[in-house]
Amino acid sequence: MMIDNHTIAYRNVVSKYYQFMPEEIELAFQDFEALLEKHQYHPTGTVFFSIMSDPTEEIMTAEIFFGIEEEQFALESEDYLRFRSYFSVKPMFMTRVEGDIQEQAQVKYWELIERLNQLGVEQATPVFVEYKRTHSDQSYIEMSVGYR
């Protein structure tokens, strides 16, 4: 199922670029969370990222976003962190990935790209991956791409 005219919107997010092998993404999340906590910021549990590199490359480049409780962010650091009090992207195509997320994410990524091509619209953003949970505590992800 593909949703048209989707929006992602968050308040108070900090982002950082990472390069890693796709199977090591959890290490990047842990590093980022530890960095925020070291500087006494409090992650809210909101985590999403954008895929900046070609998905077929061995090393992935991603901008990882963490929501934080604080409404102000002032950190002079060599870590190149970026704060946004409000982050929004629209319009987007969105699809949900359930089950074997590792395997299905590749399939869904290419479905998003195919949707852009089918409708003849231009890709305006990288692909975003949002981690979500159902009310019954089941994990899934939403993959979205902005268009114009």
Side-chain angles (χ1 to χ4, degrees), residues 93-143:
F93 296 124
M94 184 274 288
T95 187
R96 184 178 278 196
V97 182
E98 299 174 297
D100 183 349
I101 290 178
Q102 292 282 23
E103 181 182 310
Q104 287 299 307
Q106 284 286 333
V107 171
K108 297 294 186 174
Y109 178 93
W110 293 111
E111 285 179 10
L112 285 170
I113 301 306
E114 181 59 28
R115 180 80 170 164
L116 293 167
N117 295 333
Q118 284 174 344
L119 296 178
V121 294
E122 183 181 344
Q123 183 174 343
T125 70
V127 171
F128 284 86
V129 177
E130 299 173 85
Y131 289 88
K132 306 271 184 146
R133 294 191 94 63
T134 66
H135 293 293
S136 58
D137 210 32
Q138 297 296 311
S139 297
Y140 67 95
I141 61 174
E142 289 181 354
M143 295 181 77

Side-chain angles (χ1 to χ4, degrees), residues 11-30:
R11 291 187 42 79
N12 304 326
V13 294
V14 180
S15 69
K16 182 176 181 350
Y17 285 90
Y18 280 89
Q19 288 190 310
F20 49 86
M21 296 183 71
E23 60 271 14
E24 295 176 343
I25 192 167
E26 246 347 280
L27 295 174
F29 291 157
Q30 291 168 5

Side-chain angles (χ1 to χ4, degrees), residues 7-18 20 25 28-29 32 44-51 60 62-68 82 84 86-89 92 126-132 140-144:
T7 301
I8 60 173
Y10 293 98
R11 291 187 42 79
N12 304 326
V13 294
V14 180
S15 69
K16 182 176 181 350
Y17 285 90
Y18 280 89
F20 49 86
I25 192 167
F29 291 157
F32 194 11
T44 62
T46 298
V47 179
F48 63 103
F49 67 94
S50 60
I51 303 168
M60 180 182 210
E63 184 174 9
I64 297 176
F65 299 81
F66 270 53
I68 60 170
R82 183 171 178 200
R84 296 169 184 90
Y86 189 73
F87 182 86
S88 175
V89 181
M92 303 180 89
V127 171
F128 284 86
V129 177
E130 299 173 85
Y131 289 88
K132 306 271 184 146
Y140 67 95
I141 61 174
E142 289 181 354
M143 295 181 77
S144 309

